[in-house]
Amino acid sequence: MRHHKLALCKDHYLEWVPEQAERFIKKYRMFTRDEKILVAVSGGKDSLALWDILQRLGYTADGLYISLGIDEGIGYSAESQRLAEKFATERGLKLHVVDIKSEYGETIPEIAGRTWRGKEKFCSVCGLVKRHVMNRIARDFGYDVLATGHNLDDEVAVLFSNTLTWQGEYLLRQSPVLAETPGLARKVKPLCRFYEREMAAYTLLRGIEYIYEECPFSEGSTSIYYKELFNQIEHDRPGAKLTYYLKFLEARRKGLFSEQVEIQQELHPCTRCGQPTSAPGECAFCRMIGK
Amino acid sequence: MRHHKLALCKDHYLEWVPEQAERFIKKYRMFTRDEKILVAVSGGKDSLALWDILQRLGYTADGLYISLGIDEGIGYSAESQRLAEKFATERGLKLHVVDIKSEYGETIPEIAGRTWRGKEKFCSVCGLVKRHVMNRIARDFGYDVLATGHNLDDEVAVLFSNTLTWQGEYLLRQSPVLAETPGLARKVKPLCRFYEREMAAYTLLRGIEYIYEECPFSEGSTSIYYKELFNQIEHDRPGAKLTYYLKFLEARRKGLFSEQVEIQQELHPCTRCGQPTSAPGECAFCRMIGK
């Protein structure tokens, strides 16, 4: 790991990763061993690695798999569900499964195909649905905290994207921890300081089977574009990704951004689902599903 | 110009550029026709184009050429001086020439070769010397404002560099206009919204002869690296550079950054040269030259 000036054998690497994760969990005050954690599991390497790490560290963490109904000739959702369930069964862990089609009558491609939002951005429909379901399961089952597998490469791509347009609200919301608000569980990203390659190495060495394919709809996404760009920068300047992300967090903590931007907008409960939303009335999810 | 969704013939292009420059000069309140302007002229396309544009717009602008004593087998300084002087002579414009070797006893490569700063970063020595001389000439000859030829590509590379390490002070200082302070002329960048390619086209169509070579010491610089990176982004997303820069200026104007970072540090006059410096005693330039 050139960026850490560190080389480890298999055994030490498999110790080092959870030790680092524990350090980040404590440093950013993500959760304690008394709290109930819900891990959003996609069947990919990051979320399965996260679940594995939390289990090894002795945290109480259940999983949530959301079946999006994406097939595209490669059985993407079916295969990722099989791998998530296999992981849970082998370890005797509890996995919630929510099937979007059976709960809401349509798959993500079907919803995206008929909504204005979807014609513009498939991924924004998918993100809206996933956020709604994650919030709902966390609330209905009384989880204190919702953990996602976002890694450093994910965070860097989002950060860069937000600086390209200098969107203050988004810049200020990007954090390893989003505090709980009435009706919403705390959201945490315990892997936010791990490089994607580090997580790939971890799952490989731990023998965790995961889905290799990216979502077929992510092809050509700006997120993948920015990741490739930063892979190039990281290649030429080892450590650049980590510096970029950590210096951003540090600068914000030290007050680089003005308080006025940080003022949270007022939230109202959605009149249909009860989840917090910025405008009075139905939330964006209910309006989209209701059409 | 894909980023502007605009295509112009030669005649209209040569009208469009000064019109745009005039718009930026007014918008950012850079200077008026009553003020005396000093243009920092390197012999390259941007600074000669700037001087040409200011003259065409009817501003009172003299030039300043600083001979750095860079030869490197291609007579870099000699050739750029020849082109700057040719430009001034042909148009009957006044050009100050400062030769670093004859004024301070050493060329830039000689100073850089013996100082700690220089062994680390040649370009930082050169920048320090140029800033000192520009400030001195502006003060000694009573110029109101110092104009440099920085274009959009320059500004974008600096902005990106400053976000990679999230340096608040540098982020906040990056501006089309730096207000005058006691002992320092106002500094302005009238070309900050023009793409480098637009300036190259302008000098070509105006028949301005300039030095094509980049400074031989700039090879492998981070600035050039970031420019290439953004050329790639611009190629894939036309307009990305301009959006990145303008949205940054807009976000800052709207108060994205906190006031506390904006508080200027106290300045003291240097005990030797009298130019403002952050620490009491001699400024960095005088300490370097005095060694």
Side-chain angles (χ1 to χ4, degrees), chain A residues 28 52 75 102 108 130 148 165 198 232 278 287:
Chain A
Y28 299 112
D52 177 78
S102 45
I108 296 287
K130 285 193 289 191
T148 56
T165 50
E198 291 171 349
Q232 186 184 324
S278 49
R287 278 183 280 126

Side-chain angles (χ1 to χ4, degrees), chain B residues 201-262:
Chain B
Y202 181 81
T203 45
L204 185 75
L205 295 175
R206 284 283 289 168
I208 296 170
E209 203 186 341
Y210 66 91
I211 187 156
Y212 290 101
E213 282 80 23
E214 296 281 347
C215 170
F217 288 99
S218 71
E219 203 188 312
S221 70
T222 52
S223 157
I224 289 182
Y225 180 80
Y226 298 142
K227 281 182 185 175
E228 285 169 359
L229 200 79
F230 267 87
N231 282 342
Q232 187 184 322
I233 300 177
E234 180 73 26
H235 174 268
D236 297 327
R237 290 165 164 59
K241 284 181 199 173
L242 193 58
T243 302
Y244 181 53
Y245 183 61
L246 292 185
K247 290 282 178 182
F248 164 73
L249 295 182
E250 183 189 339
R252 188 177 54 187
R253 198 182 65 240
K254 289 188 175 169
L256 175 60
F257 300 103
S258 71
E259 306 259 333
Q260 70 182 79
V261 188
E262 295 191 58

